[in-house]
Short mmCIF file of all heavy atoms in Angstrom, two decimals:
data_model
loop_
_atom_site.label_atom_id
_atom_site.label_comp_id
_atom_site.label_asym_id
_atom_site.label_seq_id
_atom_site.Cartn_x
_atom_site.Cartn_y
_atom_site.Cartn_z
N ILE A 175 -8.35 -3.35 7.79
CA ILE A 175 -8.36 -1.91 7.55
C ILE A 175 -7.95 -1.67 6.07
O ILE A 175 -8.55 -0.82 5.35
CB ILE A 175 -7.48 -1.18 8.48
CG1 ILE A 175 -8.09 -1.14 9.95
CG2 ILE A 175 -7.29 0.37 8.02
CD1 ILE A 175 -7.25 -0.59 10.98
N LEU A 176 -7.01 -2.38 5.62
CA LEU A 176 -6.55 -2.31 4.22
C LEU A 176 -7.63 -2.65 3.25
O LEU A 176 -7.85 -1.94 2.23
CB LEU A 176 -5.30 -3.20 4.00
CG LEU A 176 -4.46 -2.95 2.76
CD1 LEU A 176 -3.92 -1.57 2.74
CD2 LEU A 176 -3.37 -4.02 2.72
N PHE A 177 -8.40 -3.73 3.48
CA PHE A 177 -9.51 -4.07 2.71
C PHE A 177 -10.63 -2.97 2.74
O PHE A 177 -11.29 -2.75 1.76
CB PHE A 177 -10.11 -5.42 3.02
CG PHE A 177 -9.26 -6.55 2.35
CD1 PHE A 177 -8.47 -7.38 3.17
CD2 PHE A 177 -9.33 -6.72 1.04
CE1 PHE A 177 -7.66 -8.39 2.57
CE2 PHE A 177 -8.55 -7.83 0.45
CZ PHE A 177 -7.71 -8.62 1.25
N GLU A 178 -10.89 -2.41 3.89
CA GLU A 178 -11.92 -1.32 4.07
C GLU A 178 -11.45 -0.11 3.19
O GLU A 178 -12.32 0.47 2.54
CB GLU A 178 -12.03 -0.92 5.53
CG GLU A 178 -12.73 -1.92 6.40
CD GLU A 178 -12.64 -1.62 7.86
OE1 GLU A 178 -12.27 -0.39 8.25
OE2 GLU A 178 -12.96 -2.47 8.64
N GLN A 179 -10.13 0.15 3.11
CA GLN A 179 -9.60 1.23 2.25
C GLN A 179 -9.85 0.89 0.77
O GLN A 179 -10.18 1.73 -0.03
CB GLN A 179 -8.21 1.47 2.45
CG GLN A 179 -7.89 2.10 3.89
CD GLN A 179 -6.41 2.14 4.35
OE1 GLN A 179 -5.57 1.47 3.61
NE2 GLN A 179 -6.04 2.85 5.25
N ALA A 180 -9.65 -0.39 0.41
CA ALA A 180 -9.91 -0.76 -1.00
C ALA A 180 -11.35 -0.63 -1.38
O ALA A 180 -11.62 -0.23 -2.50
CB ALA A 180 -9.44 -2.31 -1.13
N LEU A 181 -12.21 -0.88 -0.38
CA LEU A 181 -13.72 -0.58 -0.70
C LEU A 181 -13.98 0.80 -1.07
O LEU A 181 -14.91 1.05 -1.92
CB LEU A 181 -14.57 -1.01 0.50
CG LEU A 181 -14.90 -2.45 0.70
CD1 LEU A 181 -15.50 -2.71 2.02
CD2 LEU A 181 -15.83 -2.97 -0.41
N LYS A 182 -13.17 1.72 -0.55
CA LYS A 182 -13.43 3.19 -0.83
C LYS A 182 -12.63 3.69 -2.10
O LYS A 182 -12.91 4.82 -2.52
CB LYS A 182 -13.02 3.99 0.42
CG LYS A 182 -13.88 3.65 1.59
CD LYS A 182 -13.34 4.41 2.79
CE LYS A 182 -14.11 3.92 4.08
NZ LYS A 182 -13.50 4.45 5.34
N SER A 183 -11.92 2.77 -2.66
CA SER A 183 -10.95 3.21 -3.71
C SER A 183 -11.62 2.94 -5.10
O SER A 183 -12.16 1.78 -5.32
CB SER A 183 -9.65 2.44 -3.63
OG SER A 183 -8.95 2.52 -4.88
N PRO A 184 -11.66 3.81 -6.05
CA PRO A 184 -12.17 3.54 -7.40
C PRO A 184 -11.36 2.41 -8.10
O PRO A 184 -11.99 1.71 -8.94
CB PRO A 184 -12.00 4.94 -8.16
CG PRO A 184 -11.28 5.82 -7.21
CD PRO A 184 -11.10 5.18 -5.89
N ARG A 185 -10.15 2.18 -7.68
CA ARG A 185 -9.33 1.16 -8.31
C ARG A 185 -9.54 -0.21 -7.62
O ARG A 185 -8.96 -1.21 -7.94
CB ARG A 185 -7.85 1.44 -8.26
CG ARG A 185 -7.49 2.67 -8.99
CD ARG A 185 -5.99 3.04 -9.06
NE ARG A 185 -5.32 2.71 -7.84
CZ ARG A 185 -3.97 2.55 -7.68
NH1 ARG A 185 -3.26 2.70 -8.81
NH2 ARG A 185 -3.39 2.33 -6.55
N LYS A 186 -10.34 -0.18 -6.54
CA LYS A 186 -10.67 -1.42 -5.76
C LYS A 186 -9.41 -2.13 -5.16
O LYS A 186 -9.25 -3.30 -5.10
CB LYS A 186 -11.45 -2.42 -6.60
CG LYS A 186 -12.73 -1.90 -7.12
CD LYS A 186 -13.43 -2.95 -7.94
CE LYS A 186 -14.75 -2.48 -8.51
NZ LYS A 186 -15.46 -3.46 -9.34
N ARG A 187 -8.48 -1.25 -4.77
CA ARG A 187 -7.30 -1.83 -4.14
C ARG A 187 -6.61 -0.72 -3.20
O ARG A 187 -6.87 0.47 -3.45
CB ARG A 187 -6.32 -2.39 -5.08
CG ARG A 187 -5.74 -1.40 -6.11
CD ARG A 187 -4.76 -2.22 -7.03
NE ARG A 187 -4.26 -1.36 -8.19
CZ ARG A 187 -4.83 -1.02 -9.25
NH1 ARG A 187 -5.95 -1.66 -9.62
NH2 ARG A 187 -4.26 -0.25 -10.20
N ALA A 188 -5.84 -1.24 -2.24
CA ALA A 188 -5.17 -0.38 -1.37
C ALA A 188 -3.81 -1.04 -0.91
O ALA A 188 -3.64 -2.24 -0.95
CB ALA A 188 -5.97 -0.13 -0.08
N HIS A 189 -2.87 -0.15 -0.63
CA HIS A 189 -1.43 -0.53 -0.37
C HIS A 189 -1.09 -0.23 1.12
O HIS A 189 -1.49 0.78 1.61
CB HIS A 189 -0.43 0.23 -1.26
CG HIS A 189 -0.59 0.02 -2.67
ND1 HIS A 189 0.17 0.55 -3.60
CD2 HIS A 189 -1.43 -0.76 -3.39
CE1 HIS A 189 -0.08 0.16 -4.80
NE2 HIS A 189 -1.12 -0.62 -4.73
N LEU A 190 -0.28 -1.12 1.71
CA LEU A 190 0.26 -0.89 3.03
C LEU A 190 1.82 -1.14 2.80
O LEU A 190 2.26 -2.25 2.69
CB LEU A 190 -0.27 -1.89 4.00
CG LEU A 190 0.41 -1.88 5.36
CD1 LEU A 190 0.20 -0.55 6.06
CD2 LEU A 190 -0.13 -3.10 6.25
N ASN A 191 2.55 0.00 2.79
CA ASN A 191 3.99 -0.02 2.62
C ASN A 191 4.58 -0.51 3.90
O ASN A 191 4.32 -0.03 5.06
CB ASN A 191 4.48 1.35 2.24
CG ASN A 191 4.13 1.84 0.87
OD1 ASN A 191 3.72 0.96 -0.01
ND2 ASN A 191 4.25 3.13 0.65
N LEU A 192 5.48 -1.46 3.76
CA LEU A 192 6.21 -2.04 4.82
C LEU A 192 7.63 -1.40 4.94
O LEU A 192 8.30 -1.45 5.94
CB LEU A 192 6.35 -3.58 4.72
CG LEU A 192 4.97 -4.26 4.68
CD1 LEU A 192 5.26 -5.77 4.48
CD2 LEU A 192 4.18 -4.01 5.82
N HIS A 193 8.05 -0.90 3.78
CA HIS A 193 9.32 -0.15 3.75
C HIS A 193 9.17 1.26 4.36
O HIS A 193 8.16 1.81 4.45
CB HIS A 193 9.92 -0.04 2.31
CG HIS A 193 8.93 0.38 1.35
ND1 HIS A 193 8.00 -0.47 0.75
CD2 HIS A 193 8.67 1.59 0.81
CE1 HIS A 193 7.31 0.27 -0.16
NE2 HIS A 193 7.70 1.50 -0.09
N THR A 194 10.31 1.82 4.89
CA THR A 194 10.21 3.02 5.58
C THR A 194 10.40 4.26 4.62
O THR A 194 9.99 5.34 5.00
CB THR A 194 11.27 3.12 6.74
OG1 THR A 194 12.55 2.92 6.20
CG2 THR A 194 10.93 2.12 7.73
N SER A 195 10.95 3.99 3.48
CA SER A 195 11.25 5.11 2.53
C SER A 195 11.27 4.57 1.15
O SER A 195 11.61 3.37 0.78
CB SER A 195 12.56 5.71 2.78
OG SER A 195 13.08 6.47 1.78
N PHE A 196 10.90 5.44 0.13
CA PHE A 196 10.98 5.08 -1.26
C PHE A 196 12.38 4.89 -1.72
O PHE A 196 12.65 4.33 -2.73
CB PHE A 196 10.25 6.02 -2.18
CG PHE A 196 8.70 6.02 -1.96
CD1 PHE A 196 8.00 7.22 -2.04
CD2 PHE A 196 8.03 4.90 -1.86
CE1 PHE A 196 6.63 7.26 -1.92
CE2 PHE A 196 6.65 4.85 -1.76
CZ PHE A 196 5.92 6.09 -1.84
N ASP A 197 13.35 5.30 -0.92
CA ASP A 197 14.76 5.12 -1.16
C ASP A 197 15.27 3.77 -0.66
O ASP A 197 16.45 3.42 -1.06
CB ASP A 197 15.58 6.22 -0.58
CG ASP A 197 15.35 7.62 -1.14
OD1 ASP A 197 15.14 7.65 -2.32
OD2 ASP A 197 15.31 8.55 -0.45
N ASP A 198 14.48 3.00 0.04
CA ASP A 198 14.92 1.73 0.52
C ASP A 198 15.33 0.82 -0.59
O ASP A 198 14.58 0.81 -1.67
CB ASP A 198 13.82 1.07 1.38
CG ASP A 198 13.68 1.63 2.84
OD1 ASP A 198 14.44 2.63 3.15
OD2 ASP A 198 12.82 1.13 3.56
N LYS A 199 16.36 0.06 -0.42
CA LYS A 199 16.84 -0.82 -1.41
C LYS A 199 15.82 -1.99 -1.79
O LYS A 199 15.72 -2.40 -2.99
CB LYS A 199 18.19 -1.44 -1.06
CG LYS A 199 18.74 -2.36 -2.14
CD LYS A 199 20.27 -2.49 -1.91
CE LYS A 199 20.87 -3.39 -3.07
NZ LYS A 199 20.79 -2.96 -4.35
N VAL A 200 15.05 -2.42 -0.78
CA VAL A 200 14.02 -3.39 -1.04
C VAL A 200 12.67 -2.79 -0.64
O VAL A 200 12.50 -2.35 0.51
CB VAL A 200 14.25 -4.64 -0.20
CG1 VAL A 200 13.16 -5.71 -0.47
CG2 VAL A 200 15.52 -5.35 -0.59
N GLN A 201 11.79 -2.69 -1.67
CA GLN A 201 10.41 -2.21 -1.47
C GLN A 201 9.51 -3.38 -1.14
O GLN A 201 9.50 -4.38 -1.86
CB GLN A 201 9.91 -1.49 -2.68
CG GLN A 201 10.83 -0.29 -3.09
CD GLN A 201 10.79 0.91 -2.24
OE1 GLN A 201 9.70 1.54 -2.21
NE2 GLN A 201 11.88 1.28 -1.61
N ARG A 202 8.73 -3.28 -0.01
CA ARG A 202 7.86 -4.37 0.34
C ARG A 202 6.45 -3.78 0.66
O ARG A 202 6.40 -2.76 1.46
CB ARG A 202 8.44 -5.01 1.62
CG ARG A 202 9.79 -5.63 1.32
CD ARG A 202 10.62 -5.87 2.59
NE ARG A 202 10.50 -5.04 3.70
CZ ARG A 202 11.10 -3.81 4.06
NH1 ARG A 202 11.95 -3.30 3.07
NH2 ARG A 202 10.94 -3.17 5.10
#
């Protein structure tokens, strides 16, 4: 699904955040 999203993106990439918040000490 992530690669399908990348196909639709002008930047040719897509992100899947594994962290629950941008405040998390470790961003994954």
